Amino acid sequence: MTQKKLHPTVIQFKEFVKNNPKLVQEVRRGKATWQELYEEWYLLGEEDTRWETIGSNNESAEEESTESKSDWISTIMGVVKKMDPNQMQNHINNLSQALGAVQSVLSQFQGNNPAGGPAKPQEGPRHPFLFRKD
């Protein structure tokens, strides 16, 4: 298999990537593509400040996500600590009564079935033509 000769700028970009491994992480996380990075490198050059901010943005984003997760957990724990068990039981009972009322209204519309199950169609006599012996 023959290998194509790469353009000199592509070879330079590969060397640049080897010297800046955070670019690989940027692509793996899906925040940039190789094409985008190559175009920016070609237009801006190796000395641009954009290349310095790549690593610091990822680290600060990870710290922010960790902080937001811990804030969310602390918020949930604070709500759980403030709950009154008696008040929660009262709310659950009210909800249960409301659901019972809705079920009874639905059963009335379904045909006054006192058992609360699905309404059954009325059955006729089992033998409509009953023949008797004399």
Side-chain angles (χ1 to χ4, degrees):
M1 181 159 95
T2 61
Q3 187 177 16
K4 294 182 182 180
K5 287 188 174 183
L6 296 176
H7 194 272
T9 58
V10 175
I11 295 170
Q12 290 173 354
F13 179 69
K14 283 185 165 190
E15 289 297 319
F16 177 71
V17 170
K18 285 180 185 177
N19 294 332
N20 296 298
K22 292 185 179 183
L23 294 175
V24 177
Q25 294 172 358
E26 184 89 0
V27 172
R28 287 183 180 164
R29 289 187 180 130
K31 296 186 178 189
T33 64
W34 287 117
Q35 182 68 35
E36 292 170 349
L37 292 175
Y38 174 77
E39 289 173 358
E40 289 178 11
W41 171 83
Y42 188 77
L43 294 173
L44 302 174
E46 293 182 15
E47 304 302 323
D48 193 66
T49 57
R50 188 247 193 274
W51 308 119
E52 296 170 5
T53 60
I54 285 181
S56 62
N57 286 342
N58 289 339
E59 293 170 3
S60 64
E62 289 174 6
E63 290 174 5
E64 288 176 10
S65 67
T66 304
E67 289 176 8
S68 66
K69 287 178 185 177
S70 64
D71 288 343
W72 181 77
I73 292 172
S74 64
T75 302
I76 296 296
M77 292 304 293
V79 169
V80 169
K81 287 180 183 177
K82 292 178 184 177
M83 281 186 191
D84 180 19
N86 294 328
Q87 193 176 26
M88 288 301 296
Q89 184 65 37
N90 188 20
H91 288 304
I92 291 171
N93 288 337
N94 289 341
L95 182 62
S96 176
Q97 289 174 355
L99 288 175
V102 169
Q103 285 177 337
S104 67
V105 168
L106 289 175
S107 68
Q108 288 177 357
F109 284 114
Q110 290 178 348
N112 289 334
N113 189 0
K120 294 181 182 177
Q122 292 182 355
E123 292 183 18
R126 291 186 183 194
H127 301 287
F129 304 105
L130 186 58
F131 295 102
R132 295 186 190 172
K133 291 185 181 178
D134 286 313

